[in-house]
Amino acid sequence: MSYRPHPKILIMTAVEAEQQAVLRGLGGYEGAEVRLAGVGPASAAAATAAVLARAGQAADGGAYSLVLSVGIGGGFAGIASVGSLVVASEIIAADLGAETPDGFAGVDELGFGSPRIAVADELAARWADALREAELPVHHGPILTLSTVTGTAETAQSLAERYPGAGAEAMEGFGVAEAARQFGIPVLELRAISNAIGPRQRDLWKIGDALQALEQACAKLPEVLQS
Ligand SMILES: O=C(O)c1cccc(C(=O)CC[C@H]2O[C@@H](n3cnc4c(=O)[nH]cnc43)[C@H](O)[C@@H]2O)c1
């Protein structure tokens, strides 16, 4: 039996600014590694799979016991305001499918698998509870993954109707989650809201506020993981 180091959690962020916010929040916690996924689902899936493969992650366990996709994201109106947090109850590839005369058909409707990946639900609930106890604004609901940042009110409305209860959209979660799924590792996603989903108003993005919220959320992780 080869030596297996105590399993850690693998946290994937798209960019360095998010990675640094997570590290600040973790405050030297040694049970996690924070690695870069790049922007978008393809890069995130490849980067996550590469980390897991290099670590020799075996089907019966290995270097990592949990994978997280965390970062900034867009919030759905009336559910997740700028500066708040969304903990995923489910990770959904919201644009994986086909455009049809009758509207969008998801990959599941096309018969090619599922656009939904379940999360480690008890951990997700514990994290959301810990954030509420810290009086941080948090929504616990589906997080959408898209390859394109929503830029119109029409698309925002369409997504809200198609995925009721969804709190946020981002671009990496499903990629990270699919890599974790293929290695048999549970997954979580958290987004700190930098902008409202809808008409593109880049100058209204509050990335600094979102990074601060991300740091606060990750500061609660060690206690959540050890409880
Ligand atoms: O539209 C722009 O000019 C623009 C300016 C700065 C950043 C972007 C991005 O596309 C950032 C994508 C990056 O941030 C996450 N993110 C944050 N908010 C959203 C959103 O509303 N929808 C999708 N992704 C979002 C995402 O996960 C990426 O890592 C654009």
Side-chain angles (χ1 to χ4, degrees):
M1 177 72 172
S2 61
Y3 167 70
R4 288 189 188 281
H6 186 73
K8 292 191 170 187
I9 65 166
L10 175 62
I11 303 176
M12 300 299 291
T13 69
V15 298
E16 282 193 31
E18 295 164 322
Q19 182 185 42
Q20 292 306 311
V22 172
L23 288 168
R24 288 195 300 273
L26 291 174
Y29 175 63
E30 295 184 348
E33 280 183 21
V34 189
R35 310 290 285 269
L36 293 177
V39 172
S43 175
T48 305
V51 172
L52 295 175
R54 285 195 198 106
Q57 186 78 25
D60 65 346
Y64 302 104
S65 57
L66 178 69
V67 178
L68 285 78
S69 174
V70 303
I72 66 174
F76 280 94
I79 295 185
S81 56
V82 171
S84 70
L85 298 160
V86 180
V87 175
S89 61
E90 187 177 26
I91 299 171
I92 304 174
D95 59 0
L96 183 58
E99 189 177 21
T100 81
D102 300 322
F104 177 80
V107 65
D108 48 342
E109 297 171 83
L110 303 176
F112 297 118
S114 174
R116 297 168 181 263
I117 294 180
V119 301
D121 50 10
E122 288 186 16
L123 262 178
R126 286 216 301 267
W127 199 4
D129 289 345
L131 297 173
R132 290 188 191 98
E133 285 162 19
E135 298 184 348
L136 294 169
V138 58
H139 173 74
H140 184 195
I143 294 180
L144 310 185
T145 298
L146 295 154
S147 292
T148 304
V149 173
T150 294
T152 66
E154 292 73 19
T155 301
Q157 179 66 23
S158 170
L159 289 169
E161 289 170 357
R162 199 186 312 151
Y163 305 106
E169 73 169 43
M171 299 174 74
E172 293 79 30
F174 191 84
V176 172
E178 177 59 19
R181 187 190 68 80
Q182 293 202 15
F183 279 83
I185 308 172
V187 67
L188 295 175
E189 183 173 7
L190 172 132
R191 292 289 160 175
I193 304 307
S194 52
N195 57 282
I197 297 169
R200 184 164 178 263
Q201 295 174 297
R202 175 66 185 85
D203 54 325
L204 296 184
W205 285 39
K206 300 288 187 188
I207 295 179
D209 293 357
L211 291 173
Q212 187 174 7
L214 179 61
E215 178 181 341
Q216 292 173 316
C218 291
K220 304 303 284 183
L221 254 183
E223 73 179 69
V224 168
L225 294 167
Q226 290 162 0
S227 63

